Amino acid sequence: MRYWLMKSEPETFGIDDLRARPQQTEHWDGVRNYQARNMMRDEMKIGDQIFFYHSNCDEPGIVGIAEVASESYPDFTAFDPDDKHFDPKSNPDKPTWFMVDVKFVRKLARTISLRELKTKSELGELALLRRGNRLSIMPVSAEQWAFILALE
DNA sequence: GCCAACGTTGGC
DNA sequence: GCCAACGTTGGC
């Protein structure tokens, strides 16, 4: 099993939105970055654990845990001209973009903020903290996962 | 709102 | 293939 971190803006789709979905599950649509796509399409497996990260908000940080709930499949929002994430280069016969379903596991007892994570030398290699990293999905090592959870 | 750090696009 | 222009992300 692998570990991941996925960013979302709480004003758009936060951890509480995921919890409120039927089956507490939602497809992770809208990813339009090839690196992030490759991780979802090629590396994520059902049961992988995910840190749910709130970005672009008052206190950016890890707010909960989710898990991968499906194999990857084409992101159908790319096919819809009316969708914000429409991409004319992707079509159902040869989709460009993929996604997985993500299921709510639990909220953390408190937000582990980006500010706090930055103070931990043990997390120097965490992709989230690397300079200029804007990927919305990134891998987390088992060691990093355990260390961060122990902060809770 | 600002701006650094990207990734993408398109002219050449 | 190069690279300038442009758009986006996301912390602050």
Side-chain angles (χ1 to χ4, degrees), chain A residues 61 75 128:
Chain A
D75 182 344
L128 180 71

Side-chain angles (χ1 to χ4, degrees), chain A residues 69-85:
Chain A
S70 77
E71 300 293 329
S72 64
Y73 57 102
D75 182 344
F76 51 77
T77 65
F79 309 144
D80 178 1
D82 295 327
D83 192 279
K84 183 184 175 208
H85 300 292

Side-chain angles (χ1 to χ4, degrees), chain A residues 4 40-49 68-71:
Chain A
W4 307 94
M40 285 200 293
R41 186 189 61 184
D42 306 331
E43 299 186 51
M44 283 189 182
K45 301 296 176 202
I46 292 174
D48 282 2
Q49 299 294 110
V68 177
S70 77
E71 300 293 329

Side-chain angles (χ1 to χ4, degrees), chain A residues 121-135:
Chain A
S121 58
E122 293 89 339
L123 299 176
E125 299 303 311
L126 186 67
L128 180 71
L129 304 182
R130 284 213 304 267
R131 193 158 173 269
N133 195 316
R134 300 175 310 152
L135 269 183

Side-chain angles (χ1 to χ4, degrees), chain A residues 20-97:
Chain A
R21 284 293 190 271
Q23 323 303 324
Q24 300 188 320
T25 300
E26 184 62 291
H27 47 266
W28 203 264
D29 62 72
V31 171
R32 297 292 179 268
N33 171 282
Y34 287 102
Q35 265 185 279
R37 175 207 66 182
N38 291 348
M39 286 186 266
M40 285 200 293
R41 186 189 61 184
D42 306 331
E43 299 186 51
M44 283 189 182
K45 301 296 176 202
I46 292 174
D48 282 2
Q49 299 294 110
I50 301 162
F51 279 139
F52 197 110
Y53 178 92
H54 279 175
S55 66
N56 245 327
C57 55
D58 285 347
E59 191 182 30
I62 297 166
V63 295
I65 296 173
E67 65 182 24
V68 177
S70 77
E71 300 293 329
S72 64
Y73 57 102
D75 182 344
F76 51 77
T77 65
F79 309 144
D80 178 1
D82 295 327
D83 192 279
K84 183 184 175 208
H85 300 292
F86 174 60
D87 181 354
K89 294 190 302 300
S90 187
N91 67 76
D93 294 329
K94 199 173 185 305
T96 304
W97 304 112

